Amino acid sequence: LWQKSLSGEIELWIELGQPDEKRLRRACGRARQVIVYPYADRSAGIWWQQNGADFQRFDNLSVIKLTVTGETALDALVNKSMNLNCSIQEGQVWLGEDNLSATLEQTRWK
């Protein structure tokens, strides 16, 4: 996902998952800011252990792990006619619909 300026420069580059070092080097070279949101708790942790030291050289890179907390899993909120509400406050994201809700907490790895 890219956010570009009116002149066509990439201001923000967002990656989901566990991109390799080559892709992040390219992103950091082209964008003012790069954010990675890894998912899949177990594999994300392994990915970070294997690559985190290499990623420290990229000054414009942020890696933020989102973890679902609470009783409701995100997949319980997904349906054909979803109408989700979202609130963001002090590093927590609250998603809800009717009587179901889920909270995501962020952990900044870099």
Side-chain angles (χ1 to χ4, degrees):
L1 181 66
W2 293 344
Q3 176 183 345
K4 291 187 175 184
S5 68
L6 294 175
S7 61
E9 296 169 330
I10 301 172
E11 294 179 348
L12 176 62
W13 182 316
I14 298 175
E15 285 281 335
L16 301 175
Q18 293 99 31
D20 61 18
E21 190 269 341
K22 182 179 177 182
R23 182 166 179 87
L24 286 181
R25 183 177 59 238
R26 179 175 172 240
C28 290
R30 295 183 61 197
R32 184 180 310 151
Q33 181 182 10
V34 178
I35 302 174
V36 176
Y37 292 99
Y39 57 85
D41 287 332
R42 181 178 158 90
S43 64
I46 294 169
W47 169 80
W48 182 248
Q49 287 177 341
Q50 292 174 347
N51 299 290
D54 294 336
F55 296 159
Q56 296 304 319
R57 65 186 168 141
F58 302 124
D59 293 332
N60 58 336
L61 173 66
S62 297
V63 179
I64 301 171
K65 175 70 173 96
L66 296 175
T67 306
V68 178
T69 60
E71 298 178 11
T72 304
L74 287 178
D75 58 355
L77 295 172
V78 177
N79 62 58
K80 195 173 189 178
S81 60
M82 333 184 252
N83 186 16
L84 295 176
N85 296 309
C86 178
S87 296
I88 303 171
Q89 184 175 358
E90 296 180 15
Q92 288 189 331
V93 178
W94 177 87
L95 293 171
E97 179 182 40
D98 297 330
N99 61 347
L100 294 175
S101 67
T103 304
L104 295 130
E105 292 194 22
Q106 72 176 9
T107 304
R108 185 171 294 270
W109 285 350
K110 179 181 179 333

